[in-house]
Amino acid sequence: RNESYLVGLVGDGITESLTPPMHEREADHHGLRYLYRPVDLAVIGRPGEDVGQLLSAGRDLGFNAFNITHPCKQLVLEHLDEIDPQAEAIQAVNTVLLQDGRFIGHNTDCSGFTRGFEKGLDGVAPGRVVQFGSGGAGSAVAEALLGLGAVQLSLVDMDVARAAERAAELAARYPQATVESVTAAQAPGQIAAADGVVNATPMGMHHHPGAPFDLDLLRPTHWVADVVYLPMDTPLVRAARALGCAVLDGGHMAVGQAVDAFALITGTTPDSARMRAHFLQL
Ligand code: NAD
C-alpha cells in the first residue's frame, strides 16, 4: 500500500465535480493521505485529445491514478498499457491506475451503476427495459443492465445510428437477451410493455430541462432509473416518485463509480453508505 495518494480528474468543465471531495473525505476516515485535484481542460485551455500528454505529465509528477470523464473516456484508450475486460467491452475508461509507470484502464461507471441498482432497487429484477441515451453513460448503464439480467433492452437515442451500433454490439455479446434500437416514435409502445425505464441522456440537468419522453407514459409498476444527478430530483425522478414507482436517482451511480474507483486506487474497501451520506450533504 502507498504512503500517500495523488489523484486527478481529467475532463471538461469539472472544477465543481463532487467526486474529489467524496474521495478525500472517505480517505480521511481511513487515515490515508489523499489529495484529489481537478484537471479541468476548460481551465487549462487544452483539448480532450491531450489526455495522453496529461497522463504522461501526471506520471512524471508522481500521480497514482486519474479519473477520466467527458470528453476523454474514449480518447484515453489508445494511451493505455492494459485495460480491464469490462472497460474493453464498453470501449470506455473512467479510471486509470498508474502501476510501475504503466497505465491500466478500468470502467467504474458500469460497476458503479450495478452497485447503485443493487442498493437502491433492492429486489427489483430489470426485466424488459427501455433506455434513453446510448452515449458514454448509456453504454456503461446498458452493459450493467444486461449484466444484472435484463431480458430485453430497447435503446432510444436521437442519434439513431449510435443506438443501432450500440445495440448490435451488445446483442452479439449477450445472446440470451433481446437488445435492439428503437425509434422515438416506437418508444411509447415499448414503455407500455416495459418493466423499467432509464434516462441516460442529459435531459433533466439544470441546463437541459425536461425529460426524454412524455412522463404521462409512466405507470406505478415501472421501476425508473436516472443517471442525471445535478439536480437529483429530475422531472423524471419526481414524476416516478409521485406515482409510487421504485426509483433509482442519479446519485447512486455517481457514488457507485466513486466507491469502486476508491477501492481500485487504494486497495481499501470504502464505506459506501458513508460516501452516499457525504455526497448528499455536498
Ligand atoms: P453523451 O453525450 O455521451 O450521451 C448522451 C446521449 O443522449 C447522446 O447519444 C444523445 O444523442 C442522447 N440524447 C440526448 N437527448 C436525447 C433525447 N431527448 N432522447 C434520446 N436521446 C437523447 O453524454 P453522457 O456522457 O452519456 O452523459 C449523459 C448524462 O449522464 C449527463 O447528464 C451526465 O451528467 C450524466 N452522467 C452521470 C453519471 C453518474 O455517475 N450519475 C456518470 C456519467 C454521466
Side-chain angles (χ1 to χ4, degrees):
R1 189 183 290 176
N2 291 334
E3 294 282 307
S4 61
Y5 296 87
L6 184 55
V7 181
L9 171 63
V10 179
D12 189 20
I14 46 78
T15 300
E16 304 302 325
S17 169
L18 302 180
T19 300
M22 267 198 279
H23 281 243
E24 289 184 343
R25 174 79 69 87
E26 184 61 17
D28 287 347
H29 283 288
H30 294 274
L32 301 174
R33 291 185 176 188
Y34 197 108
L35 280 180
Y36 189 134
R37 291 288 158 87
V39 181
D40 190 335
L41 298 170
V43 171
I44 61 175
R46 301 278 291 264
E49 285 71 19
D50 282 3
V51 63
Q53 287 172 30
L54 292 169
L55 287 188
S56 296
R59 172 173 57 196
D60 294 347
L61 294 172
F63 275 71
N64 300 95
F66 287 94
N67 275 143
I68 307 291
T69 190
H70 186 78
C72 300
K73 287 181 188 178
Q74 282 88 30
L75 291 168
V76 74
L77 295 173
E78 64 179 289
H79 304 289
L80 301 173
D81 297 299
E82 203 179 306
I83 182 164
D84 168 79
Q86 190 166 59
E88 167 99 72
I90 307 167
Q91 283 291 295
V93 156
N94 82 326
T95 304
V96 176
L97 305 182
L98 269 121
Q99 284 172 359
D100 304 322
R102 300 174 75 246
F103 298 120
I104 302 162
H106 294 264
N107 190 307
T108 70
D109 288 328
C110 181
S111 60
F113 182 85
T114 300
R115 175 183 286 285
F117 192 100
E118 287 169 344
K119 179 97 190 148
L121 292 176
D122 189 20
V124 172
R128 293 156 298 176
V129 187
V130 181
Q131 179 185 313
F132 290 83
S134 58
S139 299
V141 169
E143 181 82 17
L145 288 167
L146 290 164
L148 284 160
V151 294
Q152 186 178 325
L153 180 62
S154 303
L155 297 178
V156 193
D157 199 298
M158 284 189 327
D159 183 340
V160 177
R162 175 180 265 185
E165 194 181 319
R166 180 53 47 192
E169 189 275 316
L170 288 165
R173 281 190 300 112
Y174 289 92
Q176 72 281 18
T178 304
V179 188
E180 57 191 6
S181 61
V182 302
T183 64
Q186 293 168 312
Q190 296 277 326
I191 291 172
D195 299 297
V197 187
V198 179
N199 175 41
T201 78
M203 297 296 293
M205 295 180 78
H206 290 300
H207 52 279
H208 291 283
F213 63 94
D214 178 358
L215 295 177
D216 288 339
L217 296 166
L218 283 180
R219 296 288 169 265
T221 48
H222 285 128
W223 61 262
V224 171
D226 205 328
V227 303
V228 172
Y229 64 94
L230 289 173
M232 265 200 290
D233 61 337
T234 60
L236 172 61
V237 163
R238 273 187 275 127
R241 289 220 169 101
L243 275 177
C245 300
V247 180
L248 188 74
D249 65 53
H252 282 278
M253 182 177 176
V255 174
Q257 62 81 20
V259 166
D260 286 348
F262 185 93
L264 283 170
I265 292 166
T266 63
T268 299
T269 304
D271 181 332
S272 55
R274 182 168 62 199
M275 284 180 80
R276 171 140 173 117
H278 178 220
F279 173 82
L280 294 175
Q281 285 167 11
L282 288 170

